[in-house]
Amino acid sequence: MTKTTSPTVWVLGASSGIGKAVAIAYAKKGASLVLSARRVNDLEQTQQECKAFTDHVWVEPLDLAEPSSHQTVTKRVEEHLGHLDVLFHSGGITSRTEASEATMDVERRMMEVNYFGVISITKAAMPMLEAAKGHVVVITSVAGKLGTQFRSSYAASKHALHGWFDSLRLEIEPKGMHVTLVCPGYIATPLTVHALTNDGSALGEMSDKQTKGMPADVFAAKLLKKLPSKPHEVIIGGTEVMSIRLKRWAPALLHAILKRSKVT
Ligand SMILES: NC(=O)c1ccc[n+]([C@@H]2O[C@H](COP(=O)([O-])OP(=O)(O)OC[C@H]3O[C@@H](n4cnc5c(N)ncnc54)[C@H](OP(=O)(O)O)[C@@H]3O)[C@@H](O)[C@H]2O)c1
């Protein structure tokens, strides 16, 4: 496939929340898109909404926790898009567990989806990214910078992404590729409905703070404005994102605040 001026973008986590909003925002820019996640009906709904703005939108379902399928799905993405300008990682799950009580299956599941799945897809997509001098955008979290109660495995998986992608950036920037790590604050999505509890069952309810968070389309619009300058890191959210600066400059104060705060 020859390179066109409209960007080619593979959005993971496109069936819901941030990934869906980002896919629609790219569609409005005329991008050619592949949409991935597990729930096909929801991906097709996102596809329909994108088709109002671009004709080039494909659905390729995948499970981040099934790495044996990642090369095959990536091959199909290559058939649709050729080169890849943007690999956008928004697939992920959260946790509402007690660190000492969550089963090891829960700990492993979190890393399989949020960390191993994300790096597995990135490795598979590297030749497509190299051909386009592409940009890897990874949604991590404020929890990628600090830990809070009841999110130990989530925070661990997001910290791991920062370590891996900071290293990758140094290796691939000389080849003209870029990595942006994105730390959102509270964004209004159903993320916590699927949160893993101690035994691996889903929490089944929305977090109050997330419900009142920034709308996903507002978040997507803010983020897409920042990405052309290829920033290493982007932080978007409400006052809660100040905790990242406190962690660096006043960690004891942050600890005292977090100890008293209600985590939902
Ligand atoms: N909302 C927030 O306040 C917030 C804050 C900080 C960071 N984040 C991060 O933002 C990202 C997107 O979350 P969201 O808030 O948009 O929540 P969401 O609406 O629940 O979206 C999560 C996406 O991840 C996909 N996903 C989950 N498990 C998967 C798996 N095994 N394989 C493939 N895809 C999978 C889901 O699709 P399927 O279920 O169809 O597979 C869905 O598309 C996550 O990485 C999350 O940690 C969110």
Side-chain angles (χ1 to χ4, degrees):
M1 181 179 279
T2 53
K3 189 161 174 141
T4 60
T5 49
S6 65
T8 54
V9 186
W10 183 8
V11 183
L12 292 105
S15 60
S16 174
I18 292 173
K20 177 174 182 173
V22 162
I24 293 167
Y26 272 117
K28 287 180 180 168
K29 291 179 178 294
S32 298
L33 288 157
V34 175
L35 311 175
S36 294
R38 292 165 304 170
R39 287 170 290 164
V40 177
N41 287 349
D42 294 286
L43 287 171
E44 286 173 351
Q45 179 60 40
T46 307
Q47 183 185 38
Q48 278 316 310
E49 293 181 45
C50 289
K51 279 201 165 163
F53 309 103
T54 176
D55 292 331
H56 308 289
V57 195
W58 296 270
V59 165
E60 287 296 345
L62 73 75
D63 188 336
L64 284 166
E66 295 291 341
S68 59
S69 68
H70 291 177
Q71 285 291 348
T72 312
V73 178
T74 305
K75 199 88 212 120
R76 286 203 291 271
V77 173
E78 190 172 13
E79 283 161 17
H80 297 308
L81 299 179
H83 64 278
L84 189 59
D85 292 313
V86 182
L87 173 62
F88 197 104
H89 282 295
S90 192
I93 50 176
T94 189
S95 60
R96 286 299 179 275
T97 54
E98 291 152 286
S100 55
E101 297 295 327
T103 65
M104 282 309 294
D105 282 348
V106 167
E107 303 287 356
R108 289 200 178 89
R109 172 82 188 158
M110 188 62 61
M111 294 304 279
E112 290 296 347
V113 176
N114 283 10
Y115 176 65
F116 290 119
V118 171
I119 71 166
S120 165
I121 291 291
T122 306
K123 286 169 189 274
M126 204 44 72
M128 266 197 293
L129 286 161
E130 205 161 342
K133 298 193 186 310
H135 188 180
V136 186
V137 183
V138 190
I139 301 289
T140 71
S141 174
V142 172
K145 297 286 193 173
L146 51 102
T148 70
Q149 304 96 308
F150 312 126
R151 290 191 180 88
S152 48
S153 41
Y154 180 66
S157 70
K158 296 295 187 177
H159 275 68
L161 290 174
H162 277 265
W164 197 85
F165 280 99
D166 277 344
S167 301
L168 177 76
R169 181 190 297 113
L170 289 164
E171 294 173 14
I172 67 176
E173 262 186 3
K175 299 177 189 167
M177 290 179 274
H178 302 276
V179 174
T180 298
L181 289 157
V182 184
C183 305
Y186 291 115
I187 312 300
T189 74
L191 181 69
T192 53
V193 174
H194 311 288
L196 300 183
T197 59
N198 285 350
D199 64 1
S201 58
L203 183 69
E205 58 190 56
M206 291 281 286
S207 127
D208 193 35
K209 285 184 179 155
Q210 237 153 29
T211 308
K212 294 176 187 149
M214 184 182 287
D217 59 338
V218 173
F219 171 83
K222 282 179 190 281
L223 177 58
L224 262 60
K225 269 195 199 134
K226 290 179 186 282
L227 291 181
S229 65
K230 312 288 193 321
H232 290 180
E233 219 164 81
V234 174
I235 299 168
I236 299 174
T239 51
E240 68 280 2
V241 302
M242 282 168 58
S243 56
I244 294 177
R245 302 223 187 293
L246 282 181
K247 173 73 176 174
R248 187 173 185 97
W249 302 112
L253 173 63
L254 177 66
H255 179 75
I257 293 170
L258 290 176
K259 246 172 116 173
R260 284 199 314 269
S261 67
K262 184 174 176 283
V263 179
T264 63

